[in-house]
Amino acid sequence: LMKSGRIDVLAFIGSSRVGDILKHQHPKPHRLRCVLGLEAKNAGIVLEDADIDLAAKEAVLGSLSFNGQRCTALKILFVHRSRVDEFLQKFVDGVAKLKPGMPWDDGVRITPLPEPGKTGWMSEMIKDAVEKGAKVVNPDGGSVCNTLMLPAVIYPVKPGMKLYSEEQFGPVVPILPFNDIEEPMNYVIDSNYGQQVSIFGSDPDRMAE
């Protein structure tokens, strides 16, 4: 289709690598109009007045449904330091309830990954974070069997770690505490990616601001 030159507009969500391949297949790439959403390091921000039960439940769903392999998945979680211990416990409890297995089995939520070498690459990201001071805070987190990886909750993540800045696109959840809302907001502003952010709180005026 692209090589035919009959496509005028390309709307594409995915990786920049594949987006570039598609664009360059068009015989007149500078005429082609592109609307692109490429990669994503979508942040979830948990404010100090958030309903932690609700925030943890939604963050588990947002970060790990479809193994976290969604462009709109939550890829990094910022939690206010005054609530982070409570959030971590509830989040880890929620992750523990996700059943691993094959996609055709009843109740399964974590399945093998479709990309060759994906578990090895994510294991390297986890190793990098651990070497720089983070911990895997959930039991068996990051355990691998062939192409199946059990979800890994990594805390505390900080700048300089691969998980802080690179999109993992898989069942690895980096979490870090913040004291001032400017910290996660500056992260979003300065990020190389720009898709979405999720905010958990109870004051609609503050959330809107």
Side-chain angles (χ1 to χ4, degrees), residues 59-165:
V60 169
L61 181 66
S63 59
L64 290 170
S65 59
F66 298 97
N67 295 319
Q69 293 198 307
R70 297 180 300 122
C71 292
T72 54
L74 297 179
K75 305 287 175 53
I76 188 167
L77 301 177
F78 291 83
V79 184
H80 194 273
R81 192 174 296 275
S82 66
R83 308 297 302 279
V84 70
D85 291 339
E86 180 185 2
F87 177 87
L88 273 174
Q89 184 59 58
K90 294 181 182 297
F91 187 85
V92 166
D93 289 346
V95 170
K97 295 176 183 176
L98 300 177
K99 181 182 177 181
M102 301 307 290
W104 49 80
D105 293 333
D106 289 341
V108 166
R109 291 293 178 266
I110 301 297
T111 63
L113 301 171
E115 299 165 75
K118 184 69 175 183
T119 56
W121 182 74
M122 287 192 298
S123 294
E124 285 298 317
M125 296 185 84
I126 295 171
K127 180 182 177 183
D128 172 76
V130 170
E131 288 177 348
K132 295 173 180 175
K135 293 182 179 179
V136 180
V137 296
N138 60 316
D140 299 320
S143 298
V144 172
C145 179
N146 295 320
T147 58
L148 175 70
M149 172 179 271
L150 297 183
V153 183
I154 313 299
Y155 177 85
V157 171
K158 60 184 180 181
M161 298 177 180
K162 292 180 180 179
L163 277 173
Y164 182 83
S165 55

Side-chain angles (χ1 to χ4, degrees), residues 188-203:
V188 173
I189 291 168
D190 294 334
S191 173
N192 292 328
Y193 312 108
Q195 287 220 337
Q196 68 177 33
V197 62
S198 299
I199 304 177
F200 299 93
S202 59
D203 183 343

